[in-house]
């Protein structure tokens, strides 16, 4: 979601901060702004819309100073406007804020007066200014302010007359401090700081920090001085460029054969699965998988694998619902949390809830330094690299690959699979990057089909078995970036209500590899065609020969072992959504109202 940058540097901060904020555009935003201190004077510039609007403003109305803070805002309180944009300021203090202050209304009532914005963040600067008015130092005023806040936040304060001071705090939203040579930086993630430094200190939950050009002093949630590690986190600049593609999403779709190869090299050893971290599934009674969005869909696919291959009972929960339904936590079971960023607020809160009762806390994450990874007993990396497009692609397929590897490991440990079957699945996994390359060769056909799909107002996705959650992924991708209403159903559920939607105007995408459920899927598909539904069948050559007759169109996929089909068939789901969005002219990489890393409830 919102992005933060803070600089205490040797050079003019404004252009550096704008460049850093460009690297954070992938998080989703509706306005942007910066504030600096020059000759002891605090000043700021803000603009609605894309960063180019802020850049244009800075040309006509420059902002000097070597100390500053900047922000890209994703609206939570108040419409996108200059008044609601960050940094927020009150007199001698400015702040940038990611998160939500839950008690801002009572603080507003206490502070009184008139307000410039509709945001919760303005409450922070007004409260801090009130402490400054009582004679407190900037550091003490910032800390006193944080003491009064309830909710989730990553904060960076800048003060009038203080060109060598940033005060930071973190609760429920990530924040990192970057170390340079006589310079210091603050950022919401490593990408923001990548070209500036690769030496980062990640603040932990409840930490507060005072940053000067000489370094950072950190206190933990109990007020004790804390020694946090400085880690090297190099960011490959090539990973945050489009590499000749029109959009980051297109680039990331085409990176999947390589990213899958990278992660499988980590998890496979000869004919066996050998993950980089240890867990004993035989000692666990059951598994609860918790996640949000696309990561949740990956978890629902994994439910099929763990139950069918490992014979292990599995529940799947949407993270935002998990703790509020007051689940019965099995003390002999494990909870597994899936998150691309490792900072998803609902997933992190669910993890903390489960940690009080589960035997083991596991996670599947893309960022090893993330909060979810650090707070897990065992964290399994997915090695997808930086993913800029808001609609997840390569992170999803790598999540699936890791979850399948873990299901095979669980099967071996629980005695549910023999060495020959494990070797066969491992062999198929080794073929997967090549199969993904063949699947990507369908792009031209997907682009042709997108012209038809782009004309629809509603689209239905169908699948059976593990292809049912993948149908949800196809519908989600299409909704996210093309803004076409799409729904997914289990094929066998169609006649229990959704078939009422079917007419000659409705495209129905059927994901049907040749597997044990193929004939049943074809029967359900015939029910659609009998009502003039326009079917797009996504299948292999055998499936096309057996069930392609009467379809509006067929998208032919390479044949594969059915266990791999949810991973392989992700490609056409992604390509159909991508090209439909391109044909409609929507903002593919930064779709409206969405954010990449959702760090608020």
């Amino acid at each position: 979601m919102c992005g933060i940058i803070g600089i205490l540097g040797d050079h003019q901060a404004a252009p550096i901060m704008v460049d850093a904020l460009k690297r954070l555009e992938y998080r989703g935003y509706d306005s942007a702004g910066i504030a600096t201190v020059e000759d002891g004077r605090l000043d700021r510039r803000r603009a609605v819309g894309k960063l180019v609007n802020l850049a244009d403003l800075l040309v006509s109305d420059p902002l000097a100073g070597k100390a500053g803070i900047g922000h890209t805002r994703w609206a939570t309180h108040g419409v996108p406007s200059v008044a609601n944009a960050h940094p927020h300021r009150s007199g001698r203090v400015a702040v940038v804020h990611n998160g939500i202050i839950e008690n801002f209304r009572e603080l507003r009532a206490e502070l009184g007066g008139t307000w410039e914005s509709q945001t919760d963040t303005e409450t922070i600067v007004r409260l801090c200014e009130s402490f400054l008015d009582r004679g407190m130092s900037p550091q003490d005023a910032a800390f006193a302010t944080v003491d009064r806040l309830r909710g989730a936040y990553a904060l960076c304060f800048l003060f009038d007359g203080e060109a060598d001071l940033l005060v930071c705090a973190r609760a429920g939203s990530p924040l990192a401090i970057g170390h340079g040579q006589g310079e210091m930086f603050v950022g919401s993630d490593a990408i923001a700081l990548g070209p500036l430094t690769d030496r980062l200190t990640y603040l932990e939950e409840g930490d507060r920090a005072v940053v000067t050009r000489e370094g950072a002093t950190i206190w933990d949630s109990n007020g004790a001085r804390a020694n946090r590690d400085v880690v090297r986190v190099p960011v490959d600049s090539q990973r945050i460029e489009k590499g000749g593609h029109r959009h980051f999403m297109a680039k990331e779709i085409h990176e999947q054969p390589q990213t899958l190869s990278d992660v499988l090299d980590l998890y496979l050893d000869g004919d066996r699965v050998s993950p980089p971290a240890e867990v004993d599934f035989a000692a666990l009674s059951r598994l609860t998988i918790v996640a949000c969005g696309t990561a949740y869909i990956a978890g629902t696919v994994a439910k099929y694998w763990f139950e069918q291959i490992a014979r292990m009972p599995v529940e799947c929960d949407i993270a935002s619902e998990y703790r509020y339904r007051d689940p019965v936590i099995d003390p002999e079971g494990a909870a597994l949390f899936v998150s691309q960023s490792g900072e998803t607020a609902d997933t992190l809160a669910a993890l903390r809830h489960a940690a009080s009762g589960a035997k083991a806390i596991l996670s599947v994450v893309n960022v090893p330094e993330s909060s979810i990874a650090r707070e897990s007993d065992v964290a399994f990396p997915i090695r997808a690299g930086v993913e800029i497009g808001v609609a997840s692609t390569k992170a999803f397929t790598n999540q699936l690959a890791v979850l399948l590897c873990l299901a095979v490991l669980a099967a071996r440990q629980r005695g549910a699979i023999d060495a020959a079957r494990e070797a066969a699945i491992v062999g198929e996994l080794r073929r997967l990057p090549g199969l993904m390359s063949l699947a990507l060769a369908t792009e031209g056909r997907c682009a042709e089909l997108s012209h038809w799909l782009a004309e629809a107002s509603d689209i239905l996705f169908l699948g059976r078995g593990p292809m049912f959650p993948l149908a949800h992924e196809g519908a989600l991708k299409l909704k996210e970036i093309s803004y076409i209403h799409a729904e997914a159903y289990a094929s066998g559920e169609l006649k229990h209500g959704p078939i009422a939607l079917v007419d000659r105007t409705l495209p129905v995408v059927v994901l049907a590899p040749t597997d044990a459920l193929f004939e049943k899927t074809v029967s359900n598909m015939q029910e659609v065609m009998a009502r003039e539904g326009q079917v797009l069948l996504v299948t292999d050559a055998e499936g096309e020969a057996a069930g392609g007759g009467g379809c509006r169109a067929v998208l032919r996929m390479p044949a594969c072992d059915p266990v791999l089909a949810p991973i392989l068939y992700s490609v056409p789901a992604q390509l159909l959504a991508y090209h439909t969005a391109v044909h409609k002219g929507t903002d593919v990489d930064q779709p409206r109202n969405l954010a990449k890393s959702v760090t608020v409830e």
Side-chain angles (χ1 to χ4, degrees), residues 73-96:
R73 175 185 186 253
W74 185 84
T76 57
H77 294 79
V79 300
S81 67
V82 172
N84 289 331
H86 295 220
H88 282 277
R89 177 183 180 180
S90 179
R92 294 164 286 173
V93 59
V95 74
V96 288

Side-chain angles (χ1 to χ4, degrees), residues 540-599:
D540 49 44
E542 183 180 349
E544 181 179 12
C551 295
R552 164 78 179 257
V554 176
L555 181 60
R556 186 188 295 181
M557 293 287 290
C560 69
D561 187 310
V563 76
L564 299 183
I567 309 177
L568 188 63
Y569 279 58
S570 299
V571 171
Q574 295 163 1
L575 289 173
L576 288 170
Y578 172 76
H579 283 286
T580 301
V582 169
H583 188 69
K584 290 195 68 181
T586 60
D587 190 339
V588 172
D589 286 332
Q590 297 170 40
R592 68 188 182 200
N593 303 332
L594 295 181
K596 182 64 176 174
S597 178
V598 183
T599 55

Side-chain angles (χ1 to χ4, degrees), residues 304 462-473 488-491:
Y304 285 88
L462 301 178
R464 292 195 81 129
M467 302 308 289
F468 167 42
L470 192 67
H472 274 287
E473 175 63 8
Y489 285 94
S491 302

Side-chain angles (χ1 to χ4, degrees), residues 228-248:
R228 305 296 183 214
D229 292 337
V230 178
V231 296
R232 288 194 175 273
V233 186
V235 176
D236 183 352
S237 61
Q238 295 302 311
R239 291 293 183 99
I240 55 176
E241 299 295 336
K242 293 178 183 175
H245 293 273
R246 183 174 175 183
H247 299 96
F248 282 110

Side-chain angles (χ1 to χ4, degrees), residues 7 64 78 103 180 184 191 212 220 233 237 390 399 442 525 553 575 577 586 589 593:
I7 290 179
N103 61 331
M184 293 291 288
I191 294 176
T212 69
D220 65 19
V233 186
S237 61
V390 166
Q399 285 168 351
T442 68
M525 192 173 71
L575 289 173
T586 60
D589 286 332
N593 303 332

Side-chain angles (χ1 to χ4, degrees), residues 11 51 101-103 142 160 181 206 208 224 286 350 367 378 382 400 425 522 579 588:
H11 307 282
L51 268 167
I101 305 304
E102 295 175 356
N103 61 331
D160 194 80
Q181 297 295 323
R208 303 170 186 186
R286 65 190 306 108
V367 183
V378 183
I382 68 168
L400 290 176
I425 294 176
V522 170
H579 283 286
V588 172

Side-chain angles (χ1 to χ4, degrees), residues 400-463:
L400 290 176
V402 169
L403 289 165
L404 177 54
C405 287
L406 295 180
V408 173
L409 173 67
R412 184 175 77 229
Q413 292 174 337
R414 297 168 66 87
I417 193 172
D418 59 24
R421 178 55 178 153
E422 179 175 1
I425 294 176
V426 169
E428 291 300 307
L429 281 167
R430 293 193 186 281
R431 292 180 59 228
L432 184 56
L435 291 172
M436 294 290 278
S437 295
L438 293 175
L440 286 167
T442 68
E443 182 163 19
R445 178 65 170 149
C446 289
E448 293 174 8
L449 293 167
S450 72
H451 292 217
W452 161 42
L453 299 179
E455 299 303 315
S457 57
D458 303 276
I459 297 178
L460 198 62
F461 284 75
L462 301 178

